[in-house]
Amino acid sequence: MSEFFDIYNVIFLALAVAIFLRLRSVLGRRTGNERRPFDPYSARERSEPAGESRSDNVVTLPRPTAESAGGASANMEERIAPAAKPGTPLFEALSTIAEVDPNFEPKSFLTGARAAYEMIVTAFAEGDRRALGPLLSKDVLDGFVGAIDDREKRQERISSTLIGIEKAEIVDAALKGQTAQVTVRFESQMISTTYDSAGAVIDGDPNKIVDVTDIWTFARDVTTSDPNWKLVATESA
């Protein structure tokens, strides 16, 4: 009986080895139809809440994948029309940017612009120069840092709470040489209060929500692989 048992064990072992080798030969092949390797940065662009980014202080304004960009380039009007009426100067300007940067799409751009707005407003109120650095051009950064320095010299502090962005729309755009510029009008609500060194309120009201309108211009060099846009100009309406 034990002899038969040993024979069966050998047969089963041989079958197991054969199946294993067969599976390895099949599973190890590439057919050309596999999914792309998982890209954590691309996944974050699709799923992260507004304000999150690849690092603690960088916001990548979301851009579509190569597949969606390729399909969208064949239908320029469908891509740009939600942000600008066909035939208008703004539509033509956005179309020009999209032609040199096939990944540019107004809807995705605005999603990232909202996140950048929230991060910049919060970082400025907190005096976080490190967070502001990657988000601003040199000139704008110098202005923000100068204002923070002056505030600290006066021993003042700001408490700022962004209640929400009511509206964000593209109001202007241009391609200047290799640099794309897109201007966004933000309409938001926030609570902002300035305190002196003793903790007394010297500006604003900690219990009052105010309407704020900002017009910000973002720019990026379309010839580089860096997808990040930087704030290059600010204006309050």
Side-chain angles (χ1 to χ4, degrees), residues 160 217 224:
S160 183
T217 299
T224 68

Side-chain angles (χ1 to χ4, degrees), residues 17-228:
V17 172
I19 292 172
F20 170 76
L21 292 175
R22 177 59 178 169
L23 286 175
R24 187 177 67 174
S25 67
V26 172
L27 296 177
R29 293 175 183 168
R30 287 187 173 272
T31 65
N33 297 317
E34 297 85 356
R35 292 185 178 183
R36 290 184 171 188
F38 175 68
D39 182 349
Y41 298 139
S42 175
R44 288 187 182 183
E45 290 176 358
R46 293 190 298 269
S47 63
E48 278 187 344
E52 304 239 351
S53 62
R54 291 192 297 179
S55 66
D56 292 339
N57 54 356
V58 176
V59 171
T60 300
L61 274 60
R63 302 196 299 167
T65 60
E67 292 86 352
S68 63
S73 63
N75 198 340
M76 183 72 71
E77 184 170 327
E78 182 178 341
R79 293 171 60 192
I80 307 301
K85 185 177 180 180
T88 62
L90 178 57
F91 182 91
E92 297 302 323
L94 292 174
S95 297
T96 299
I97 293 174
E99 287 174 359
V100 298
D101 180 6
N103 287 314
F104 176 76
E105 187 173 319
K107 183 178 179 180
S108 297
F109 173 87
L110 284 174
T111 298
R114 283 172 171 266
Y117 180 84
E118 182 174 354
M119 285 189 68
I120 292 170
V121 167
T122 301
F124 175 71
E126 295 176 350
D128 190 344
R129 300 169 180 79
R130 183 171 178 270
L132 291 171
L135 302 171
L136 313 179
S137 68
K138 184 181 184 306
D139 289 342
V140 176
L141 179 61
D142 289 344
F144 275 48
V145 170
I148 293 172
D149 290 341
D150 291 341
R151 188 172 74 211
E152 291 178 348
K153 289 176 182 178
R154 296 191 301 268
Q155 297 185 336
E156 297 173 355
R157 67 179 181 85
I158 292 180
S159 174
S160 183
T161 301
L162 180 63
I163 303 302
I165 300 174
E166 300 297 309
K167 186 177 183 181
E169 63 176 338
I170 297 174
V171 295
D172 196 12
L175 181 65
K176 298 181 179 181
Q178 300 176 342
T179 301
Q181 293 187 349
V182 180
T183 301
V184 181
R185 178 187 176 95
F186 296 97
E187 295 180 7
S188 63
Q189 290 187 324
M190 63 179 66
I191 300 173
S192 184
T193 313
T194 303
Y195 299 88
D196 63 15
S197 58
V201 176
I202 58 176
D203 188 35
D205 186 338
N207 300 309
K208 183 179 180 180
I209 298 176
V210 297
D211 296 325
V212 178
T213 300
D214 288 303
I215 299 175
W216 287 9
T217 299
F218 298 89
R220 78 174 280 267
D221 185 341
V222 295
T223 64
T224 68
S225 59
D226 183 0
N228 296 312

